[in-house]
Amino acid sequence: MKHTKMYVVMAALLFSTMIPSMVMAEEEAAERPFIYGVGSLVVDLDPQTAWDSASGDMISQISEGLLSYDLTDPNLALQPQLAKDFGNWSEDATEYTIELKQGVKFHDGEEMTADDVVFTFDRLNYFCSNETPTQIAELYEPLASIYPDTPLLINKTEAINDYTVKFTLNYPYVAFEPLLCFYGSVILSEKSTPAREYLITATDTLIGTGPYYQESNSDRLTVYKYFEDYYGEHIPEIKEMHWVLYDDATTQNQAFLSGDVDAVDGISLEFMSEYEGSEYHTVGDRLQSTVIVYLGMDNTVIKLNTRLAIQDAINYTYIIDEIGKGELAQMTSIVPKGIMYHDTSIEAPVQNLTAARLHILDAIAAGELTAPAGFDLDETSPDEEWAAVAIESYSYTYNTGNANREAVGELCKANLDKIGIDVAVNGKTWGEFLNDLDEGNVEIYMLGWGPDYNDPSNFINPLMSNTSSANAAHVNDSQLQTMMSDGLTETNMTKREELYHEIQQYIAYDIVPWAYLYTGNARSVRYNGAENTCRNAMGIPYFYLWTFDYSSIPKGIPGFNILALFGVAAITFSALIYKKRH
């Protein structure tokens, strides 16, 4: 922290006396560390237990997996990282053999070999099957309920030679390649990592192969430096980074506006007008988040016709424009834009009270709902007449303190009143809310879900499988179960994409388990000279490829700014994601 304060004070003294039209000399700017303002520093240093976005951000600078995402590609294509190329599957999709790059060094100076890969995944399997499993265990036991005798995905990892590894899986899982991109799969140094104990965040050091290593870590500041023996051919312009903790978003954004930091991990909506008026900042286009937010319905309590009616009764425009202040994008599919095989042909739901009332009438005719005595309304009857009847009543449960969820609850109460459904809005603490979800004591609720890795199964299977604890809507559809299993074993990528489009359409049009609400629609803010900032829908910060024009940096501000990365409107999501369920 001492060094950070020194740079800020020196900058203020230097630049306060200089003419704004002058520019910073390149050699002068190059001596200054890059300052990144964050809302949280690392929580768990160990990649095999970390389950929060702040820790994942840190791990992404230091460590690497066999495969990764191309963060310069809007579609986030998979690419080899520590692997020489993609691996080869056996005919039954249970063996995956992959060759490693040679000459890759860990930060401890040791060369990476197949033994390190074997060590990494043996260690991971140990923590997943321990008496107190690691927090990320569910990702490496994706079909545990289907294969209870062999819950672990990876049966064994073998070194064929010094630079070739073979994974043997307990069951076919084509999404294995995207899983290798997840930060829990990064390769660890066998010589510098304890085999049966987690790294201790306060005292240990994570040794990886990434472009940066962690020089120091404290409660307020983490310092990263470029690893001079990094195998990549690109020489980064950012040689040293100081990640500085800010206790609140207001102070964090003010620091970015004033030039005290070069980037922040979240943009507050209240400052957007100031960024738009700044001569030093550029407000970029919106980028849709891969976190989905949906209105869940207990499918065992609320039958299909009624679910269709609820979907058609919701005023989505009000949610996007009023509740979200225009900083949201309407959700169209369970697989969001930015995730592999997102189906662009699915139409977003719109409010249509006529259609909603017809579904209510169909539900009554099918015996799913019981009309009150003397009921004689049709789809054209006035709103007040529909509001005067009580065909059915449901409870909407939300976690208190979440303004969006409370507002959507009140909207549901007003909207569903117009189709003869009474809604009671009940707020509970986060712990109480999760407990009710887990015990199946909610009828209508609002939740978010974000990806661990870029594959449609990471959304569909946990949220729709009849064996998943995350399936709070209690979806139980045999046809969908078969389709989901086929999606995990289909090795022809063209056929797999077609299958996942079919699955998305089947969920959206035939099952209708939820009412689709929104995803975030964040705008970036960057310093004018920044390029190659690797902004991506997965929200992964990656500073290795960043470039910026030193000659355009004015001397009239105290420092130079680069980018407010992945800025999300404060009313939508916090800058940090804890676990999967939001």
Side-chain angles (χ1 to χ4, degrees):
M1 191 63 183
K2 181 189 298 182
H3 291 165
T4 303
K5 289 181 178 177
M6 177 185 71
Y7 285 118
V8 172
V9 171
M10 287 178 62
L13 291 173
L14 278 170
F15 298 135
S16 62
T17 60
M18 295 183 177
I19 302 172
S21 60
M22 298 177 65
V23 295
M24 182 183 294
E26 183 170 339
E27 60 272 14
E28 181 182 351
E31 295 176 358
R32 181 186 183 280
F34 177 84
I35 302 176
Y36 187 41
V38 298
S40 177
L41 293 173
V42 59
V43 176
D44 284 309
L45 183 72
D46 199 312
Q48 295 185 344
T49 189
W51 201 220
D52 67 284
S53 61
S55 299
D57 290 349
M58 176 277 297
I59 293 166
S60 298
Q61 316 308 312
I62 295 174
S63 302
E64 298 172 317
L66 298 176
L67 305 178
S68 68
Y69 303 114
D70 181 357
L71 299 181
T72 66
D73 179 2
N75 296 318
L76 295 170
L78 297 185
Q79 63 181 6
Q81 181 111 52
L82 295 177
K84 187 175 180 181
D85 203 343
F86 291 101
N88 296 311
W89 284 102
S90 62
E91 187 173 346
D92 64 355
T94 60
E95 291 183 354
Y96 187 74
T97 304
I98 193 165
E99 187 175 353
L100 308 179
K101 290 179 180 176
Q102 299 185 24
V104 175
K105 289 186 177 181
F106 287 103
H107 300 155
D108 60 6
E110 298 289 337
E111 184 183 3
M112 180 198 68
T113 68
D115 289 339
D116 296 292
V117 179
V118 173
F119 165 80
T120 295
F121 287 95
D122 283 352
R123 182 178 188 264
L124 180 60
N125 266 9
Y126 170 78
F127 288 137
C128 287
S129 57
N130 207 357
E131 291 182 2
T132 55
T134 174
Q135 299 176 101
I136 64 172
E138 65 182 65
L139 302 182
Y140 297 90
E141 299 177 341
L143 300 178
S145 58
I146 300 176
Y147 301 99
D149 295 333
T150 54
L152 290 171
L153 171 61
I154 302 173
N155 178 288
K156 60 182 176 179
T157 310
E158 301 173 88
I160 305 302
N161 55 48
D162 284 348
Y163 301 104
T164 306
V165 175
K166 182 173 77 171
F167 295 95
T168 300
L169 308 184
N170 280 318
Y171 41 80
Y173 192 70
V174 175
F176 183 62
E177 287 186 331
L179 182 59
L180 292 178
C181 300
F182 176 56
Y183 64 72
S185 301
V186 297
I187 306 304
L188 305 174
S189 168
E190 181 177 14
K191 291 185 170 60
S192 298
T193 309
R196 293 295 182 262
E197 296 178 354
Y198 292 124
L199 294 170
I200 300 172
T201 302
T203 57
D204 288 334
T205 300
L206 172 61
I207 301 299
T209 60
Y212 296 97
Y213 65 92
Q214 179 183 302
E215 183 183 62
S216 63
N217 182 45
S218 69
D219 292 341
R220 310 292 304 182
L221 172 69
T222 304
V223 176
Y224 302 93
K225 288 190 175 180
Y226 172 57
F227 180 45
E228 296 290 345
D229 285 336
Y230 185 61
Y231 63 92
E233 296 181 359
H234 174 71
I235 305 299
E237 293 191 11
I238 297 176
K239 298 293 200 304
E240 180 175 342
M241 296 189 291
H242 289 190
W243 290 26
V244 181
L245 178 65
Y246 282 84
D247 293 323
D248 62 88
T250 297
T251 307
Q252 183 185 32
N253 279 259
Q254 287 173 338
F256 183 49
L257 278 164
S258 66
D260 291 336
V261 300
D262 309 321
V264 295
D265 64 355
I267 293 298
S268 292
L269 183 61
E270 62 184 292
F271 289 98
M272 192 57 68
S273 61
E274 294 184 57
Y275 287 119
E276 290 174 332
S278 169
E279 63 179 298
Y280 306 119
H281 300 77
T282 297
V283 177
D285 296 333
R286 287 180 170 87
L287 178 68
Q288 192 167 318
S289 167
T290 51
V291 175
I292 60 173
V293 179
Y294 55 92
L295 189 77
M297 295 176 273
D298 186 337
N299 286 206
T300 63
V301 175
I302 305 174
K303 303 304 181 182
L304 177 59
N305 282 310
T306 309
R307 296 198 302 270
L308 286 164
I310 292 173
Q311 174 187 251
D312 287 341
I314 300 297
N315 188 340
Y316 301 96
T317 301
Y318 183 87
I319 294 174
I320 301 300
D321 294 342
E322 300 301 325
I323 296 177
K325 307 299 182 185
E327 296 298 327
L328 305 175
Q330 191 168 352
M331 177 183 166
T332 59
S333 169
I334 187 175
V335 178
K337 181 180 179 181
I339 295 297
M340 185 184 298
Y341 305 149
H342 165 71
D343 188 348
T344 59
S345 70
I346 298 177
E347 296 181 2
V350 296
Q351 185 182 40
N352 185 334
L353 290 177
T354 298
R357 291 166 181 168
L358 285 171
H359 289 307
I360 291 292
L361 297 174
D362 288 343
I364 293 172
E368 298 171 1
L369 295 176
T370 301
F375 177 81
D376 62 353
L377 301 182
D378 61 28
E379 71 275 13
T380 64
S381 299
D383 291 354
E384 58 269 20
E385 292 185 16
W386 276 93
V389 300
I391 299 171
E392 187 57 275
S393 62
Y394 299 116
S395 64
Y396 169 92
T397 308
Y398 74 98
N399 54 297
T400 54
N402 189 308
N404 275 18
R405 293 182 186 180
E406 182 176 6
V408 169
E410 295 299 330
L411 180 68
C412 285
K413 182 179 179 67
N415 289 168
L416 300 193
D417 192 47
K418 297 175 182 178
I419 61 171
I421 294 178
D422 290 340
V423 175
V425 180
N426 300 311
K428 297 195 175 184
T429 67
W430 178 242
E432 292 171 339
F433 176 60
L434 290 182
N435 185 66
D436 282 353
L437 278 175
D438 292 339
E439 293 185 359
N441 294 331
V442 295
E443 294 174 324
I444 302 176
Y445 58 92
M446 181 175 165
L447 269 183
W449 187 269
D452 297 302
Y453 50 90
N454 192 346
D455 191 82
S457 65
N458 195 221
F459 285 82
I460 295 168
N461 291 55
L463 294 173
M464 295 288 115
S465 174
N466 58 19
T467 60
S468 172
S469 61
N471 179 6
H474 303 135
V475 177
N476 187 4
D477 186 281
S478 58
Q479 181 176 336
L480 179 60
Q481 290 294 131
T482 299
M483 296 166 76
M484 287 190 292
S485 296
D486 291 344
L488 295 177
T489 57
E490 177 56 68
T491 57
N492 182 300
M493 292 300 102
T494 299
K495 292 181 179 179
R496 189 167 189 253
E497 180 174 9
E498 292 173 353
L499 176 58
Y500 274 108
H501 283 190
E502 183 181 349
I503 291 173
Q504 290 171 73
Q505 292 180 27
Y506 185 61
I507 293 171
Y509 300 134
D510 295 280
I511 299 179
V512 195
W514 315 323
Y516 292 168
L517 297 184
Y518 60 80
T519 64
N521 199 23
R523 283 186 289 177
S524 67
V525 182
R526 63 178 176 82
Y527 174 72
N528 295 339
E531 301 291 344
N532 300 326
T533 52
C534 292
R535 185 170 181 248
N536 59 89
M538 289 284 287
I540 302 173
Y542 191 61
F543 297 101
Y544 174 62
L545 298 177
W546 282 36
T547 61
F548 35 88
D549 180 8
Y550 287 108
S551 66
S552 67
I553 300 169
K555 274 195 168 185
I557 59 174
F560 62 101
N561 307 313
I562 306 298
L563 173 71
L565 190 64
F566 319 125
V568 179
I571 60 166
T572 309
F573 307 108
S574 68
L576 303 173
I577 298 174
Y578 180 68
K579 294 193 175 181
K580 286 278 297 178
R581 189 162 52 183
H582 308 328

